[in-house]
């Protein structure tokens, strides 16, 4: 199990979040949900940074462990800005909580203008000698070798580069690809391609400028994490759109995989397609000229995606990304910022069920930040159905008829937290809302939300009653 501990960073006074296959962070605006989601993504993405860093220093005698610390510091300043104005804080991410393997970021006192990076004493021990042996092989020069020796040497290097990927995955206990899916993702739909290219180019220029400033120790007070996340998202989605332009629609992707005789869970794919069509209220098609949603295929009636509803525009990239994870049968790590944006409660239910399906089928990890209590209710149903199925196996057919076994969630695979303001402190703190005894979202939390919504009505009703009686 992985875990993040945050003390006194941004709006977060205290938070401890266990990273399981499904993580839910709920709270009001400015409660710190996005801060936690972005920090988790920051640490998860360090795996790619370490691989790139080691590869970069293959031909150098520099101790990559020391320079990797600088890489982490630089990335943190680029993401979150200067720390000189912040109070002391501590952020620790456990890549393996059971063995105590972690990376820790600390600002010790008010006067510090930089952060200190700590590793647990055995952090590199899991790859140690193996990594050194691989680097020795990769550093071997081709000088003095004939053509066939060079070819053999390059083949050996390619094999060991693949091995390098494996041991870095082992170090971080993670084989998945990480992506942060930000709010405002409809930019990939609602604006002309020329604008998107200019926007992407402008982001790249701004990030390059900030990167240069950090490298010469001019730490900008402005953080740029949102620019980084949007740039990475736009780059990923460009690849997703290319696949759909090539294969036309969701079904076309499946047909292509079948043609290649790749193994797929056809039952899960069929369930996913039904969910996607229900959320979009039609059939998605990309005919290379434009993206469309056909709401009446018999009469060839459609709406251009660029003119579709905000809910369809906000959800389409999530749906495409999730479907590709399922079809490719790959482990993925995703942080979704407000996946319910602009969606009716029924569609919110469906998108959470689709995520649950992906988690169950591919063992991927989904982290969502949300304002919506509907999402908690949906998750409770998925948890409750699984609990009943375990407890009363003879009734599983009746239970599965209500909620398919493909989307039922085991309480061991989910964590849920609310972010609330502390009564004793000014900051926010995290509170687990998963009941340890029942394995469900705590009913008291759900009741508190309902009470907040009904308090005003009750007060008005009391006035009404008093006026009638008077």
């Amino acid at each position: 199990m992985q875990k993040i501990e945050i003390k006194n960073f941004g709006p977060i006074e205290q938070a401890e979040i266990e990273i399981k296959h499904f993580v839910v962070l709920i709270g009001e605006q400015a409660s710190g949900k996005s801060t936690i989601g972005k920090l988790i993504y920051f640490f998860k993405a360090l795996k790619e940074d370490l691989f790139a860093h080691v590869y970069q220093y293959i031909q150098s005698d520099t101790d990559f462990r020391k320079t990797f610390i600088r890489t982490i510091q630089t990335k943190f300043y680029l993401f979150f800005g200067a720390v000189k104005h912040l109070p002391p804080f501590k952020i620790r991410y456990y890549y393996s909580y059971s063995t105590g393997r972690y990376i820790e970021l600390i600002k010790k006192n008010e006067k510090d203008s930089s952060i200190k990076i700590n590793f647990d004493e055995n952090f590199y021990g899991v790859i140690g000698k193996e990594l050194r042996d691989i680097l020795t092989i990769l550093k071997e020069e081709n000088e003095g070798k004939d053509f066939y020796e060079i070819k053999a040497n390059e083949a050996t290097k390619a094999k060991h580069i693949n091995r390098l990927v494996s041991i870095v995955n082992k170090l971080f206990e993670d084989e998945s690809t990480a992506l942060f899916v930000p709010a405002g993702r409809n930019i990939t739909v609602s604006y002309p391609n020329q604008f998107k290219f200019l926007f992407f180019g402008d982001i790249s220029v701004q990030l390059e400028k900030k990167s240069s400033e950090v490298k010469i120790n001019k730490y900008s007070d402005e953080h740029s994490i949102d620019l980084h996340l949007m740039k990475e998202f736009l780059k990923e989605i460009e690849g997703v759109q290319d696949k759909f332009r090539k294969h036309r629609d969701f079904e076309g992707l499946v047909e292509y995989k079948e043609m290649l005789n790749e193994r797929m869970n056809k039952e899960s794919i069929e369930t996913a397609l039904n969910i996607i069509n229900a959320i979009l209220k039609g059939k998605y098609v990309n005919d290379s000229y434009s993206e469309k949603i056909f709401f009446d295929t018999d009469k060839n009636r459609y709406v251009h995606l660029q003119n579709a509803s905000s809910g369809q525009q906000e959800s389409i990239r999530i749906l495409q990304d999730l479907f590709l994870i399922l079809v490719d049968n790959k482990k993925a790590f995703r942080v979704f910022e407000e996946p319910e944006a602009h969606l009716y409660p029924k569609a919110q239910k469906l998108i959470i069920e689709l995520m649950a399906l992906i988690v169950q089928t591919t063992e991927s990890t989904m982290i969502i930040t949300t304002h919506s209590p509907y999402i908690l209710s949906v998750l409770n149903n998925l948890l409750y159905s699984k609990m009943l199925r375990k407890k009363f196996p003879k009734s599983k057919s009746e239970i599965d008829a209500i909620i398919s076994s493909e989307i039922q969630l085991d309480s061991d695979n989910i964590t849920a937290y609310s972010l609330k303001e502390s009564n004793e402190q000014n900051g926010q703190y995290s509170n687990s809302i998963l009941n340890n005894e029942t394995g469900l979202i705590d009913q008291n939390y759900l009741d508190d939300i309902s009470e907040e919504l009904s308090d005003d009505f009750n007060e008005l009703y009391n006035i009404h009653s008093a006026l009638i009686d008077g």
Side-chain angles (χ1 to χ4, degrees), residues 271-289:
T271 301
L273 287 171
N274 290 334
I275 291 174
I276 289 166
N277 290 336
I279 293 172
L280 294 177
K281 293 286 185 179
K283 176 181 168 58
Y284 168 90
V285 172
N286 187 332
D287 61 8
S288 297
Y289 295 101

Side-chain angles (χ1 to χ4, degrees), residues 435-456:
N435 188 297
N436 290 330
E437 293 182 6
T438 65
L440 303 176
I441 306 292
D442 199 318
Q443 191 59 48
N444 290 333
Y445 181 81
L446 295 174
D447 290 343
D448 286 344
I449 294 175
S450 299
E451 285 177 15
E452 288 177 20
L453 297 175
S454 62
D455 280 348
D456 287 346

Side-chain angles (χ1 to χ4, degrees), residues 364-377:
S364 293
T365 297
M366 306 285 158
I367 296 179
I368 63 174
T369 68
T370 182
H371 301 115
S372 175
Y374 292 115
I375 284 180
L376 298 182
S377 297

Side-chain angles (χ1 to χ4, degrees), residues 59 115 126 154 202 251 277 284 286 299 306 313 332 415:
Q59 299 302 332
I115 57 171
V126 71
E154 294 303 316
D202 185 53
E251 291 82 1
N277 290 336
Y284 168 90
N286 187 332
K299 296 182 179 180
Q306 194 171 345
Q313 292 183 2
T415 53

Side-chain angles (χ1 to χ4, degrees), residues 295-350:
F295 54 87
D296 189 338
T297 52
D298 292 336
K299 296 182 179 180
N300 202 37
R301 298 173 66 186
Y302 61 85
V303 60
H304 288 282
L305 187 60
Q306 194 171 345
N307 300 323
S309 72
S310 55
Q312 290 167 315
Q313 292 183 2
E314 281 283 337
S315 63
I316 183 62
R317 302 310 178 210
I318 293 179
L319 301 178
Q320 289 176 321
D321 180 55
L322 290 174
F323 192 73
L324 282 171
I325 294 170
L326 180 63
V327 170
D328 292 338
N329 193 29
K330 66 180 182 181
K331 279 188 181 180
F333 180 91
R334 295 292 184 266
V335 180
F336 292 104
E337 198 169 38
E338 300 172 29
E340 78 278 6
H342 302 289
L343 292 178
Y344 189 69
K346 183 178 179 180
Q348 292 182 32
K349 169 182 178 290
L350 291 170

Side-chain angles (χ1 to χ4, degrees), residues 72-126:
I72 297 172
Q73 289 172 323
T74 301
K75 182 174 182 177
F76 187 85
Y77 301 139
L78 282 171
F79 269 41
F80 299 103
V83 300
K84 58 189 176 184
H85 64 289
L86 297 176
F89 64 81
K90 178 179 175 181
I91 308 165
R92 176 181 287 187
Y93 193 95
Y94 286 95
Y95 291 96
S96 174
Y97 191 65
S98 60
T99 61
R101 195 161 65 253
Y102 64 80
I103 294 178
E104 182 177 73
L105 283 58
I106 298 178
K107 181 184 177 182
K108 286 189 173 181
N109 57 61
E110 294 280 354
K111 295 181 180 180
D112 283 345
S113 60
S114 62
I115 57 171
K116 182 175 177 58
I117 311 295
N118 293 327
F119 301 87
D120 72 274
E121 60 182 9
N122 296 314
F123 184 80
Y124 289 107
V126 71

